[in-house]
């Protein structure tokens, strides 16, 4: 399908130039293919998400295939918490995510984001926001969390939209006396991120992570004392 | 006044295209007084007046990557696909795609600065990239072209002033100005290649209406972004531009001062060429 117009020019062209032209063309094609391939490999989905997805998101590999990066969920969110990943973001380009510490999910009961999704990447089967699984909260700062220091900050517990179920205070005893430890029930926590958002420390001691990252994934080996 | 009118007439297709292109961008970006936007989403999938539209090429990548079928998207794909299938796929390229604004600007700059350098690229490159993007989607489980697609990148990043987005647009612009005439849209972009295949049988076509009227000035071929599509018509070997590569931009019609070309819906079967009744001389 080469241009008809260039065909005539080629007749008059010296042999050497034609060879160069061919080499350049092949080089060009090789460059395009390499760049393209690399961009794709770079954006390959990690096994687990490294960012928090909107409620109802399919497991990461399926989500990455199903989401067509349209941003309808982003526009549907009344609190404007969702972003489409840019090139420099840690998620595949164009997929929606949110950052708990900046703006957590408010757990709308009608889940407008999932309703807006045309592809089912945010599953239409999720109808109860309390069953959503965006991630899970993990108290990572055992040395910085104020409750571990014997105070009763408990902000993370008090702000939780499913207070008492997803997170509650559990007393433990140590040399300083009785400590009230914010304890997450991973089966009830939706990963909305509200606790992380409101942690009073400069950097949150409680983090909301995608489930696989927060809880780890069991390997094939049997573990424990058996 | 006359002159102004004549100027509009000579650019009637160009102006219509620009208006539609800008209206589409505005629908996504300009907030309505009542709040919200005329169209939600972006060009991969959007909602207009409650009707969902989905890009068939992006959807195909998603399907190959292993996505379950979403009902709403399926319906949206059908609407878009049928439209381009019936009328001509690359209507997308010159009437909808925002990148066309950039590459048309490149072309204009090229003309103004009289840049002649033209690195010959095969038009098959875009077909290769198209195939590659589908294959890679299948192998990698992600939407391969969407990782770099400047069209949706334009909507996602550039409008919010991102450096990455601007870099990509600038490279496309420079590539088209300095390296190859109509380099990006005419040779590289797999979206164009996809729509070209999809709209192979599109019925909106450039027609040579009065063969006798053509004075053979070849101005149409000179402006055409895909010059090879006009060649058979100008050589008087066909009455219609039948190639799926024609973008229905109407640049040829704007250029033609004799009225020898027109845009027509033709539902006749485009069988083998049987010769044009030659009216008048050369
Ligand atoms: S549930 Fe509500 S707040 Fe949370 S992401 Fe969806 S729309 Fe936004
Ligand atoms: S609405 Fe669905 S397909 Fe669109 S960006 Fe959000 S998750 Fe992806
Ligand atoms: S992330 Fe925090 S606030 Fe949200 S449900 Fe889990 S424990 Fe509660
Ligand atoms: S034949 Fe005419 S309408 Fe088709 S691409 Fe060329 S200039 Fe545009």
């Amino acid at each position: 399908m080469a241009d008809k117009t260039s065909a005539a020019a080629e007749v008059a062209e010296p042999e050497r130039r034609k060879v160069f032209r061919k080499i350049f063309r092949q080089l060009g094609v090789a460059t395009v293919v390499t760049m393209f391939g690399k961009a794709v490999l770079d954006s390959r989905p990690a096994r687990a998400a490294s960012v928090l997805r909107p409620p109802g998101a399919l497991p990461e590999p399926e989500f990455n295939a199903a989401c067509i990066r349209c941003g309808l969920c982003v526009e549907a969110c009344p609190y404007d918490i969702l972003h489409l990943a840019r090139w420099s973001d840690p998620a595949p380009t164009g997929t929606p995510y949110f950052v708990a510490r900046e703006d957590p999910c408010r757990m709308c009961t009608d889940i407008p984001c999932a309703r807006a999704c045309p592809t089912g990447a945010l599953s239409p089967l999720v109808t109860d926001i309390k069953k959503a699984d965006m991630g899970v909260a993990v108290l990572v700062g055992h040395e910085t969390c104020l409750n571990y220091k014997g105070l009763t900050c408990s902000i993370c517990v008090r702000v939780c939209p499913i207070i008492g179920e997803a997170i509650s205070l559990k007393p433990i005893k140590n040399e300083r006396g009785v400590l009230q430890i914010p304890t997450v029930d991973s089966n009830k926590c939706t990963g909305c991120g509200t606790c992380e958002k409101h942690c009073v420390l400069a950097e949150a001691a409680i983090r909301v992570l995608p489930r696989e990252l927060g809880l780890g994934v069991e390997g094939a080996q049997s573990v424990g004392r058996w | 006044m006359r002159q102004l009118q004549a100027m509009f007439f000579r650019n009637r297709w160009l102006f219509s295209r620009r208006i539609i292109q800008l209206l589409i961008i505005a629908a996504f970006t300009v907030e309505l007084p009542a709040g919200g936007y005329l169209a939600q989403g972006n060009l991969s999938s959007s909602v207009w007046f409650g009707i969902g539209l989905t890009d068939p090429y992006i959807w195909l990548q998603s399907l190959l990557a292993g996505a379950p079928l979403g009902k709403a998207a399926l319906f949206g794909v059908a609407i878009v696909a049928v439209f381009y299938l019936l009328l001509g796929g690359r209507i997308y390229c010159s009437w909808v795609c925002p990148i066309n604004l950039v590459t048309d600007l490149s072309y204009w700059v090229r003309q103004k600065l009289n840049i002649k350098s033209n690195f010959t690229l095969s038009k098959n490159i875009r077909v290769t990239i198209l195939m590659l993007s589908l294959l890679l989607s299948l192998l990698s489980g992600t939407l391969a072209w969407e990782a770099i697609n400047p069209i949706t990148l334009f909507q996602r990043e550039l409008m919010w002033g991102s450096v990455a987005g601007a870099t990509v647009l600038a490279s496309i612009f420079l590539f088209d100005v300095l390296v190859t005439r109509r380099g990006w849209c005419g040779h590289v972009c797999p979206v164009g290649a996809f729509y070209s295949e999809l709209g192979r049988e599109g019925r909106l076509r450039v027609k040579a209406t009065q063969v006798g009227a053509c004075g053979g000035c070849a101005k149409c071929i000179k402006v055409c972004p895909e010059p090879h599509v006009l060649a058979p018509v100008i050589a008087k070997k066909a009455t219609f531009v039948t190639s799926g590569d024609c973008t229905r931009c109407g640049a040829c019609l704007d250029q033609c001062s004799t009225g020898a070309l027109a845009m027509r819906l033709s539902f006749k079967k485009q069988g083998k060429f049987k010769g044009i009744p030659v009216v008048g001389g050369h």
Side-chain angles (χ1 to χ4, degrees):
Chain A
M1 290 233 276
D3 292 4
K4 293 269 180 340
T5 38
S6 67
E10 255 163 47
V11 181
E13 224 166 10
E15 196 57 31
R16 198 157 47 102
R17 196 190 295 175
K18 237 196 268 180
V19 172
F20 272 125
R21 207 170 257 259
K22 202 170 150 200
I23 291 175
F24 271 126
R25 205 171 306 171
Q26 283 167 350
L27 268 181
V29 172
T31 320
V32 169
V33 171
T34 321
M35 275 171 46
F36 183 45
K38 187 172 172 331
V40 171
L41 291 182
D42 285 351
S43 73
R44 267 177 79 115
R47 255 201 306 166
S50 49
V51 291
L52 299 174
R53 299 298 191 191
L58 300 174
E60 185 61 12
E62 283 105 85
F63 179 77
N64 193 18
C67 169
I68 53 170
R69 289 89 163 128
C70 65
L72 283 170
C73 51
V74 175
E75 284 189 49
C77 176
Y79 300 100
D80 227 351
I81 68 153
L82 301 171
H83 318 275
L84 291 188
R86 295 178 162 201
W87 264 7
S88 45
D89 288 338
T93 312
T95 55
Y97 74 102
F98 69 97
V99 181
R101 187 68 168 169
E102 285 167 12
D103 223 349
C105 169
R106 311 299 204 283
M107 292 182 54
C108 318
T109 44
D110 52 344
I111 329 182
C113 48
R115 294 293 85 81
C117 178
T119 59
L122 305 179
S123 172
L125 303 178
V126 177
T127 46
D128 179 4
I129 187 69
K130 289 196 181 165
K131 300 257 161 61
D133 176 15
M134 297 169 263
V136 64
V138 185
L139 201 137
V140 291
H142 290 199
E143 285 153 21
T144 45
C145 169
L146 296 179
N147 277 28
Y148 266 96
K149 292 188 171 171
L151 303 171
T152 43
C153 157
S154 312
I155 280 286
C156 52
V157 178
R158 283 181 281 155
V159 294
C160 177
I162 8 187
I163 178 171
E165 292 183 51
I167 188 166
S168 47
L169 295 173
K170 295 266 151 64
I172 59 161
K173 219 174 173 167
N174 74 358
E175 66 278 8
R176 289 186 214 172
V178 180
L179 305 177
Q180 297 291 341
I181 301 303
T183 310
V184 175
D185 180 346
S186 63
N187 290 319
K188 297 277 168 58
C189 170
T190 61
C192 70
T194 311
C195 49
E196 176 177 334
K197 164 76 183 172
H198 292 283
C199 178
V200 298
L201 301 185
E203 294 287 349
I206 190 164
R207 301 288 171 104
V208 178
L209 301 168
R211 196 155 282 261
E212 294 86 344
L213 293 185
L215 299 180
V217 178
E218 279 178 26
Q221 320 286 6
S222 48
V223 287
R225 293 186 207 163
W226 33 268
Chain B
M1 192 61 214
R2 257 288 154 67
Q3 262 178 348
L4 201 66
Q5 256 177 358
M7 202 271 282
F8 269 106
F9 185 74
R10 260 185 285 114
N11 291 295
R12 61 200 183 278
W13 286 89
L14 181 68
F15 288 148
S16 324
R17 271 193 323 117
R18 288 291 175 267
I19 290 169
I20 302 273
Q21 283 170 327
L22 295 175
L23 279 181
I24 290 175
I25 295 180
F28 286 108
T29 51
V30 178
E31 206 165 341
L32 300 173
Y37 301 89
L38 206 59
Q40 290 91 44
N42 59 32
L43 284 174
S44 2
S45 191
S46 50
V47 177
W48 295 77
F49 311 107
I51 299 173
L53 301 175
T54 300
D55 184 291
Y57 172 50
I58 300 177
W59 176 81
L60 188 60
Q61 292 173 62
S62 168
L63 198 65
L64 287 172
L69 287 177
K71 235 191 294 150
L74 205 62
F75 192 63
V77 165
I79 300 177
V80 177
V82 165
F83 175 81
Y84 289 123
L85 198 81
L86 288 182
L87 290 183
R90 293 203 65 203
I91 290 173
Y92 176 86
C93 297
S94 59
W95 293 81
V96 178
C97 180
I99 300 300
N100 176 271
L101 291 168
V102 178
T103 55
D104 270 1
L105 181 67
S106 297
Y107 182 68
W108 184 80
V109 170
R110 242 180 112 83
Q111 298 300 101
K112 282 281 159 227
L113 300 182
N114 204 11
I115 295 172
K116 286 277 184 290
S117 67
N118 189 8
F119 182 70
T120 331
L121 285 168
S122 163
K123 293 230 176 256
N124 289 331
I125 290 181
R126 61 182 174 197
V127 183
T128 313
I129 297 181
L130 170 63
M131 293 305 171
L132 210 64
S133 71
L134 295 180
L135 185 71
L136 280 170
S137 295
L138 186 70
L139 296 181
S140 70
T142 183
L143 280 58
W145 184 249
E146 276 315 284
I148 34 185
N149 191 354
I151 302 171
T152 39
L153 192 81
F154 176 91
Q155 291 204 306
R156 256 187 260 120
E157 305 211 14
L158 195 85
M159 295 194 307
W160 324 123
S162 109
V163 180
T167 317
V168 173
L169 278 207
S171 2
I172 292 178
F173 175 75
L174 290 178
F175 178 61
D176 265 30
V177 172
L178 300 173
V179 183
T180 301
R181 175 188 187 274
R182 299 283 183 189
W184 178 265
C185 298
H187 301 85
V188 179
C189 179
V191 180
F194 176 85
Y195 278 113
S196 172
E197 295 302 325
L198 179 71
R200 230 160 232 295
E201 296 299 320
R203 289 295 144 184
L204 186 68
R205 287 169 166 169
V206 172
K207 184 186 185 200
T209 43
Q210 321 155 19
V211 178
C214 171
C217 67
K219 276 193 194 146
C220 51
I221 289 218
K222 275 194 207 112
V223 291
C224 179
E226 303 278 352
H228 64 277
V229 306
L230 272 174
V233 174
I234 301 311
K236 305 200 168 39
K237 292 216 178 73
T239 34
F240 285 100
V241 169
T242 51
S243 168
D245 285 348
C246 169
T247 69
R248 277 75 169 175
C249 65
C252 48
L253 303 177
D254 276 346
Q255 285 298 318
C256 188
S257 48
T258 61
L261 294 175
M263 195 73 84
R264 286 284 182 286
L265 273 175
S266 80
F267 294 98
K268 264 177 274 153
K269 198 163 177 309
Q270 199 64 39
K272 257 200 232 89
F273 174 69
K274 296 200 195 71
I276 309 166
V278 177
V279 198
H282 344 280

